[in-house]
Amino acid sequence: MNAREWLQSSGMKLGTILTIDHPAIVEIARLAGFDWLWIDGEHGRFNEVSAATACAVNSGGPPTFVRLPDRSATSIKRFLDIGCDGIILPQVSSAAEVDEIARAALYPPRGERSVGIARAQGYGTRFEECLRIQEYAIVVQIESTAGVRNAEEIIGHAAVDAVVIGPYDLSGSLGIPGKVDEPQVVESIAKIQAICSEAEKPCGIFAATAEKASVYAESGFDLIAVGMDCSVLLGGYEAMRARIVGGLKRDREVREDLRSQNLS
């Protein structure tokens, strides 16, 4: 099943964001059993070399989507050539921007993507097939007031295979950064989700916590990216340390209490 067919398959798909450009991180996330992996080249440390390594390490595993550092034609073709299952384009705010993405991402006659030989084409062994069939997915992020305003045209564009909402950037665009549960943000998210449903396009969203991911799952989102490696790692270490320190503190308090009882 190619990435476009996978996106259209039924059921909620749970993924996570990877920002640390090390193969072990990819392997660990894969072992955790996620349905898809989000390799972050925008805010994370991944470039096209380390992202290609991540895709190779995850070969045969869940679909790997790479968020590009920008929407330039150069970034689009270089990251598509690494052989990821799909690209995620940040901060898409108009149909005209999707037109530019399509020209760079699709081979002629649909677009103007230049022809090269790389991992995506099996280093030449799958060249004809890749020219004939678009197996990779184009996912756009709507995360601004302009994007919400133009959501119908963006989502309805033939080149768009799925949408992922960025609630934190959206809250910033609304002038309330980080307040993703404020009515303006919630209403904007609901509007995008409704348009996706009408257009029969998968709709995804980022959730910072497992609790928020559960809420989004109940709301019917098709794709959910929960947490990111650095915050999960930090949170795990903090929780482990807190349990140990808390246990030691309780033990000390018990000993002191017993000592005071013996003295009395």
Side-chain angles (χ1 to χ4, degrees):
M1 182 185 298
N2 67 40
R4 301 175 73 206
E5 292 172 344
W6 178 84
L7 283 169
Q8 289 294 334
S9 62
S10 61
M12 188 273 291
K13 301 166 181 64
L14 186 65
T16 191
I17 297 179
L18 305 182
T19 66
I20 303 171
D21 58 342
H22 195 286
I25 293 291
V26 181
E27 289 185 308
I28 292 167
R30 176 175 174 171
L31 288 170
F34 286 105
D35 300 312
W36 62 290
L37 301 181
W38 172 329
I39 305 299
D40 195 5
E42 183 189 20
H43 296 296
R45 295 290 303 276
F46 286 94
N47 55 31
E48 66 262 32
V49 176
S50 54
T53 300
C55 292
V57 167
N58 191 48
S59 181
T64 308
F65 291 78
V66 179
R67 177 162 65 177
L68 274 56
D70 54 54
R71 300 189 311 272
S72 69
T74 298
S75 288
I76 289 172
K77 68 182 179 182
R78 289 183 71 87
F79 278 91
L80 279 176
D81 276 347
I82 72 173
C84 55
D85 293 292
I87 52 173
I88 301 173
L89 289 308
Q91 292 286 348
V92 176
S93 299
S94 69
E97 291 174 356
V98 183
D99 285 338
E100 294 175 1
I101 292 166
R103 280 195 292 272
L106 301 175
Y107 288 118
R110 294 183 63 197
E112 301 172 0
R113 180 181 172 185
S114 59
V115 175
I117 299 297
R119 183 175 182 273
Q121 303 84 17
Y123 303 102
T125 60
R126 299 179 57 249
F127 180 73
E128 295 294 337
E129 180 185 355
C130 289
L131 288 182
R132 187 175 69 255
I133 304 171
Q134 182 198 332
E135 295 182 339
Y136 54 91
I138 297 173
V139 181
V140 300
Q141 281 198 275
I142 296 179
E143 43 191 348
S144 67
T145 53
V148 175
R149 187 168 57 250
N150 298 318
E152 194 165 346
E153 292 80 11
I154 294 170
I155 295 165
H157 198 292
V160 172
D161 296 306
V163 171
V164 172
I165 300 167
Y168 284 89
D169 279 357
L170 179 55
S171 69
S173 181
L174 286 164
I176 45 173
K179 298 180 179 180
V180 298
D181 293 319
E182 288 296 305
Q184 307 100 297
V185 181
V186 174
E187 290 167 9
S188 296
I189 290 172
K191 177 183 176 180
I192 298 167
Q193 188 180 16
I195 295 171
C196 283
S197 179
E198 180 68 23
E200 298 184 340
K201 299 281 182 79
C203 187
I205 195 164
F206 167 70
T209 65
E211 292 75 20
K212 195 64 178 175
S214 296
V215 171
Y216 288 144
E218 289 293 328
S219 299
F221 279 93
D222 304 293
L223 296 162
I224 298 174
V226 58
M228 57 184 64
D229 49 9
C230 53
S231 59
V232 170
L233 185 61
L234 177 60
Y237 275 132
E238 288 178 334
M240 180 172 63
R241 180 182 177 278
R243 285 196 299 271
I244 296 169
V245 172
L248 292 172
K249 182 180 179 182
R250 286 191 298 272
D251 290 345
R252 185 168 59 250
E253 289 173 347
V254 169
R255 288 194 300 271
E256 290 175 353
D257 185 53
L258 289 172
R259 186 180 300 112
S260 63
Q261 291 179 22
N262 292 332
L263 292 174
S264 59

